[in-house]
Amino acid sequence: MGNTDLQFNKNEDAMRLALSELRKVSEQVRLGGGKAAIEKHKEKGKLTARERLELLFDKNRPVMEIGELAGYGMYEEYGGCPSGGVVVQLGYVNKRLCVAVANDATVKAGAWFPITGKKNLRAQEIAMENRLPIIYLVDSAGVFLPMQDEIFPDKENFGRIFYNNSLMSAMGIPQIAAIMGSCVAGGAYLPILSDEALIVEKTGSVFLAGSYLVKSAIGEVIDNELLGGASTHCEISGVTDYKMKNDEECIKTIRNIIDKLGKPDMAGFDRAEPRPPARPSTDIYGILPENVTGQYNMHELIRCIVDEGDVVEYKAGYGKSIICCYARIDGWAVGIVANQREVVKAKKPKVSGEPGSFTTEMQFGGVIYSDSADKAARFIMNCNQKKIPLVFLQDVTGFMVGSRSEHGGIIKDGAKMVNVVSNSVVPKFTIIVGNSFGAGNYAMCGKAYGPRFIFSYPTSRIAVMGGEQAAKTLLQIQVSAMKAKGKNVSPEEEAALLKKITEKYNSTMDPKYAAARLWVDGIIDPADTRKYISMGIEAANHAPITRPFQVGVIQT
């Protein structure tokens, strides 16, 4: 066995270990409020959020979960909020791709934490961008009162949900809501702003104020069922449209409603007969280095993703720290923009005061150079011209620094790439393979730049800069501040402080930290990359492109 095979096996072992750890976290998160809470929930005759979704979606069809780790490690003073207290998935309902949002009532009775609002808004954003029907399975006690100031009043808080309900209605995006448990106060507007509302007998209720608040406010004594149960709203108020006997009948009715929807307009992205990749998708495990600073050839990773490994590489000999190529993924035509981490022979351009260009070894390390940024910008413009969706494979440490780069106009070329990514009208999909640092995150279509979906591998790290550099910078700042106050810092104290800073900073670079805050839609098994990109493009294909591609002022 050669060194290359040995390293491949070591890389593979490291990735499988990371995936095993991720699965353990996922299993714990999927329990929601815990086994006892689940049993109590079922005693009421209700299915859990995940059971409801499993019944809703077609069998033997892929499902994409959004934000499974939302809230992970957050709100621990309140007992946590697994999955943000809500499950969001994309799946097929009678062969129609839909977004579904199911409150998890085993987590604080389905109460809304700040991350719950953010996750619900993300679900609506996906439905609006891709013009997909959205289904709400409502079972929530409303805003989590101890944190009401962080969920109630702002533009991106709870009330924005109803704003989006109204916009989607005007856009003609189907919205169906099922009241399968509590639906209280402001939350009552969500199902009623939807196109159609179903309610389950005995377990479903909807009202602006529950019986306790009604008694304290106006002195009226009434129970919740008579106040806002299924019979009240289907036979007296007319607020809801369908009275259902149980969860199963409710979900069956939703499937029947979706089955009658008219065919949507399509964007027309090209799809051929899907072909398998040239290398098994699981080979990604061995290709990616166990050390995040290690080298690997991104071309080989691409061969694990694209159909038959067949690519047409754009400007292959120029700007080699970014790979740009046309390919197909599960049959869909795509343009790929990927960072290169391999050490290669490359020509450096002539610089003032030097005799001419020369050949040297350049370790790209995911760094974006001026020529790479220029190439990527032109390629992205071409994809927009040809109506080809874009896939970004991120492993970027930032833009090249130093006098040579500054004199060569790195800021100008970087700005050009950022401008083009920002104004792109074709759908963009981002996979964070490894590092995602600084402005490189932006140029390679990080969350702020509107990817339709963004996922990361267990090897990913998102931060302003690498942990070692950031920790040393923060250490210098703290030590300087301490010395300014007259405190002497010994080498031992400095080393201990550096260790503490490094550990804290590195914890924020963990992909689970990013997933908890919805900086990414989830952490995926690299072997499933094709599935996530294919489903993403299929979703995007439901939304025709309605504006021309154009950019503003670009420095040339």
Side-chain angles (χ1 to χ4, degrees):
M1 180 181 290
N3 287 335
T4 302
D5 294 329
L6 180 61
Q7 189 57 57
F8 184 96
N9 290 340
K10 289 175 68 177
N11 294 344
E12 185 177 39
D13 289 344
M15 178 62 78
R16 290 190 184 279
L17 179 61
L19 288 171
S20 175
E21 292 172 352
L22 182 62
R23 278 191 290 272
K24 289 177 184 176
V25 172
S26 175
E27 288 168 5
Q28 186 62 40
V29 162
R30 285 170 172 261
L31 288 174
K35 292 180 180 179
I38 290 173
E39 288 305 315
K40 187 176 180 181
H41 179 85
K42 289 191 170 188
E43 285 171 5
K44 300 175 183 176
K46 300 196 290 184
L47 299 173
T48 66
R50 293 186 179 278
E51 287 172 339
R52 287 166 176 168
L53 291 174
E54 188 176 352
L55 203 59
L56 175 68
F57 290 133
D58 297 349
K59 307 301 179 189
N60 302 317
R61 296 296 301 274
V63 172
M64 178 193 294
E65 180 149 356
I66 302 297
E68 181 183 58
L69 298 188
Y72 179 75
M74 300 168 66
Y75 315 119
E76 292 181 349
E77 66 273 33
Y78 299 114
C81 186
S83 270
V86 63
V87 184
V88 174
Q89 294 180 346
L90 273 73
Y92 299 86
V93 179
N94 273 325
K95 301 180 182 179
R96 185 70 172 261
L97 189 57
C98 299
V99 180
V101 182
N103 296 113
D104 186 349
T106 71
V107 179
K108 295 289 190 295
W112 289 56
F113 285 70
I115 197 66
T116 316
K118 188 174 182 180
K119 188 169 174 179
N120 275 266
L121 288 170
R122 176 64 181 135
Q124 290 185 319
E125 180 183 46
I126 290 169
M128 293 167 78
E129 282 187 329
N130 301 291
R131 301 191 70 87
L132 296 176
I134 185 167
I135 299 162
Y136 307 99
L137 305 181
V138 185
D139 193 345
S140 171
V143 167
F144 185 61
L145 287 178
M147 302 189 75
Q148 64 85 23
D149 58 322
E150 296 182 48
I151 182 60
F152 167 67
D154 211 344
K155 179 181 176 182
E156 302 303 330
N157 288 168
F158 187 69
R160 191 74 174 188
I161 304 289
F162 319 131
Y163 176 89
N164 286 344
N165 285 141
S166 304
L167 291 186
M168 282 191 279
S169 181
M171 293 167 67
I173 296 172
Q175 299 178 84
I176 298 170
I179 303 163
M180 309 179 85
S182 297
C183 187
V184 186
Y189 288 108
L190 184 148
I192 312 310
L193 281 166
S194 299
D195 301 334
E196 295 180 89
L198 305 86
I199 185 168
V200 178
E201 289 184 282
K202 299 180 181 177
T203 59
S205 60
V206 55
F207 32 64
L208 293 180
S211 56
Y212 292 122
L213 184 55
V214 166
K215 183 179 180 181
S216 64
I218 63 173
E220 182 181 2
V221 178
I222 189 171
D223 64 43
N224 283 340
E225 183 65 25
L226 185 58
L227 180 66
S231 295
T232 294
H233 286 310
C234 285
E235 299 167 14
I236 299 174
S237 71
V239 166
T240 52
D241 307 307
Y242 306 92
K243 183 168 72 171
M244 301 285 100
K245 293 179 181 178
N246 51 41
D247 283 7
E248 289 84 356
E249 184 184 58
C250 184
I251 290 170
K252 182 180 179 181
T253 303
I254 294 171
R255 286 179 55 81
N256 283 334
I257 292 170
I258 293 292
D259 183 54
K260 310 302 183 295
L261 296 179
K263 291 187 179 298
D265 295 331
M266 292 293 184
F269 302 126
D270 187 69
R271 192 179 196 186
E273 184 68 27
R275 303 290 184 189
R279 296 186 63 169
S281 295
T282 51
D283 274 6
I284 297 175
Y285 300 169
I287 291 169
L288 287 175
E290 58 177 332
N291 186 327
V292 291
T293 61
Q295 300 166 26
Y296 66 97
N297 189 342
M298 180 63 82
H299 287 97
E300 291 304 312
L301 188 145
I302 290 172
R303 281 167 54 80
C304 300
I305 296 173
V306 306
D307 293 12
E308 298 182 325
D310 187 20
V311 302
V312 178
E313 188 166 354
Y314 176 78
K315 291 183 180 290
Y318 177 73
K320 290 187 176 182
S321 73
I322 289 184
I323 298 167
C324 297
C325 61
Y326 300 108
R328 289 189 183 274
I329 296 178
D330 199 34
W332 293 104
V334 297
I336 296 174
V337 181
N339 302 113
Q340 178 62 290
R341 282 268 293 275
E342 192 180 34
V343 172
V344 300
K345 297 279 187 180
K347 280 190 173 182
K348 284 191 176 181
K350 181 178 179 180
V351 177
S352 177
E354 294 183 356
S357 64
F358 56 94
T359 301
T360 184
E361 274 198 349
M362 294 178 66
Q363 181 170 350
F364 292 137
V367 175
I368 301 176
Y369 293 82
S370 284
D371 54 358
S372 306
D374 174 66
K375 176 176 80 170
R378 289 166 62 91
F379 179 74
I380 292 165
M381 288 191 279
N382 279 339
C383 288
N384 276 271
Q385 185 86 344
K386 298 178 175 73
K387 205 162 79 169
I388 300 173
L390 286 158
V391 174
F392 292 83
L393 301 177
Q394 275 199 25
D395 194 346
V396 57
T397 52
F399 286 88
M400 190 61 189
V401 297
S403 61
R404 183 189 297 274
S405 295
E406 298 295 356
H407 296 171
I410 186 67
I411 297 175
K412 173 187 66 178
D413 291 313
K416 184 191 304 182
M417 185 176 174
V418 167
N419 191 321
V420 172
V421 171
S422 301
N423 284 292
S424 180
V425 297
V426 295
K428 299 165 291 193
F429 306 89
T430 301
I431 306 292
I432 302 177
V433 173
N435 297 314
S436 181
F437 294 162
N441 170 282
Y442 305 152
M444 290 294 294
C445 198
K447 184 67 181 288
Y449 285 77
R452 294 294 176 93
F453 297 95
I454 177 170
F455 292 98
S456 69
Y457 288 172
T459 46
S460 67
R461 303 189 305 168
I462 303 174
V464 170
M465 65 178 74
E468 185 179 347
Q469 304 96 307
K472 288 179 179 178
T473 302
L474 291 168
L475 176 68
Q476 290 172 3
I477 293 170
Q478 289 196 28
V479 169
S480 296
M482 292 164 74
K483 288 180 177 178
K485 294 178 179 178
K487 178 175 174 56
N488 291 322
V489 183
S490 69
E492 292 77 17
E493 288 175 319
E494 193 169 311
L497 188 56
L498 177 62
K499 184 174 183 290
K500 182 180 178 182
I501 292 171
T502 302
E503 288 174 351
K504 182 179 180 182
Y505 191 88
N506 283 342
S507 70
T508 66
M509 296 168 63
D510 188 294
K512 293 188 289 295
Y513 188 92
R517 289 153 182 79
L518 292 175
W519 299 349
V520 295
D521 290 320
I523 306 171
I524 65 171
D525 183 337
D528 292 333
T529 304
R530 282 168 55 86
K531 181 191 95 169
Y532 282 90
I533 293 174
S534 180
M535 279 192 75
I537 298 175
E538 183 178 350
N541 200 36
H542 287 72
I545 297 171
T546 57
R547 65 183 178 91
F549 172 68
Q550 57 187 39
V551 295
V553 177
I554 292 181
Q555 294 278 358
T556 57

